[in-house]
Amino acid sequence: MKIFQTSGSYHIVEYKNKRYVLDNTTIEPKKYYWGQPIDELSVKMYEISKTDTRFNIKKSSLGRSTIVVVIQPFVHFLNNFLDSIFKNVNMQERIFLKFAMFVLSVIIGYFIYRVLFRAKKYDIQDKLGNVPSVEVRFSTDGRKQYGLSIVFLILLLASFLWYFLSNISGILILSGLFSLVIFVFSWQILPIGISYQRGHLFVKEVIEQD
């Protein structure tokens, strides 16, 4: 088995002279990338034409600087909005409300994830149509593996402490962003291709689905 595309939610795979899209959102169990040692995991992939490039990752026509320019006014507006709330309600003395605002930022991060990435998943499934899935079972080397989600969880916890020790409203923007990224790297983008290429995963069997 060869995996040519190791970033994003979908990997391009060649196996026995056939081409597949491996959907790494279907990895089970996902706790593997939270440092839980397991012996075996499974994932689904779908056969596609060798000339099908719809699932290849394409470089965005927008540069990073352009993206920053586009979102900067929105971030500035949001930061000013939060500042006004903190000043008007004396947030430093209203601990419960302050905590609720932090929880709300995490929930908003989750809903942004649902809107942006789950919609994309349905679009991909629509492109695949009724193509039957193939289940791939991998054995592991028994070592602990960590995805990027745990890194951003640590950052989220750090922002929580910073938020309560200060009166900086803009931290809520960071916590919402960290929340979004945690959900993305927990459920959407899992590094199965990198783990396979580095010798942490080994193909055990490939099962055709009826």
Side-chain angles (χ1 to χ4, degrees):
M1 180 179 290
K2 294 182 180 180
I3 300 179
F4 295 96
Q5 181 173 288
T6 58
S7 59
S9 305
Y10 298 88
H11 298 338
I12 305 300
V13 175
E14 282 190 3
Y15 179 70
K16 290 188 176 180
N17 204 32
K18 293 182 179 180
R19 188 177 176 89
Y20 296 88
V21 170
L22 186 150
D23 180 1
N24 63 17
T25 67
T26 62
I27 291 176
E28 292 294 340
K30 290 182 173 61
K31 63 183 179 181
Y32 177 62
Y33 287 108
W34 282 90
Q36 179 70 44
I38 61 172
D39 296 324
E40 181 180 301
L41 62 82
S42 64
V43 66
K44 292 182 179 180
M45 62 183 187
Y46 305 85
E47 185 177 354
I48 59 173
S49 167
K50 290 184 178 181
T51 59
D52 192 340
T53 61
R54 292 177 298 168
F55 302 96
N56 292 1
I57 293 179
K58 299 178 178 63
K59 291 185 178 181
S60 174
S61 58
L62 297 176
R64 292 182 181 178
S65 58
T66 304
I67 295 174
V68 170
V69 170
V70 170
I71 67 173
Q72 192 173 21
F74 173 74
V75 173
H76 182 69
F77 167 79
L78 185 58
N79 188 55
N80 288 340
F81 176 71
L82 291 172
D83 273 343
S84 66
I85 293 177
F86 271 55
K87 291 176 182 178
N88 291 334
V89 301
N90 195 12
M91 193 69 72
Q92 194 71 356
E93 296 180 1
R94 305 182 67 174
I95 303 301
F96 179 78
L97 179 59
K98 192 173 184 179
F99 176 76
M101 291 285 287
F102 188 89
V103 173
L104 180 61
S105 72
V106 174
I107 294 173
I108 290 174
Y110 170 73
F111 277 105
I112 292 175
Y113 159 76
R114 293 285 298 186
V115 170
L116 295 180
F117 290 93
R118 303 304 287 181
K120 179 181 177 182
K121 182 176 177 67
Y122 295 139
D123 178 60
I124 295 293
Q125 290 176 338
D126 184 59
K127 289 180 180 178
L128 287 170
N130 295 321
V131 176
S133 63
V134 176
E135 181 179 339
V136 186
R137 293 182 181 174
F138 293 93
S139 58
T140 76
D141 61 0
R143 297 180 181 179
K144 294 182 179 180
Q145 296 294 311
Y146 297 95
L148 288 175
S149 52
I150 196 168
V151 174
F152 287 98
L153 176 60
I154 293 171
L155 290 174
L156 179 62
L157 294 175
S159 67
F160 176 77
L161 293 175
W162 184 20
Y163 174 68
F164 267 88
L165 293 174
S166 69
N167 199 37
I168 304 174
S169 61
I171 298 173
L172 292 175
I173 299 175
L174 285 178
S175 61
L177 177 61
F178 293 152
S179 169
L180 167 63
V181 177
I182 287 169
F183 288 115
V184 169
F185 286 109
S186 294
W187 296 338
Q188 192 74 23
I189 300 178
L190 296 161
I192 188 170
I194 294 175
S195 298
Y196 177 75
Q197 291 185 347
R198 291 181 176 176
H200 300 304
L201 296 175
F202 311 91
V203 178
K204 184 177 181 180
E205 59 181 330
V206 177
I207 303 171
E208 299 282 346
Q209 302 293 304
D210 296 329

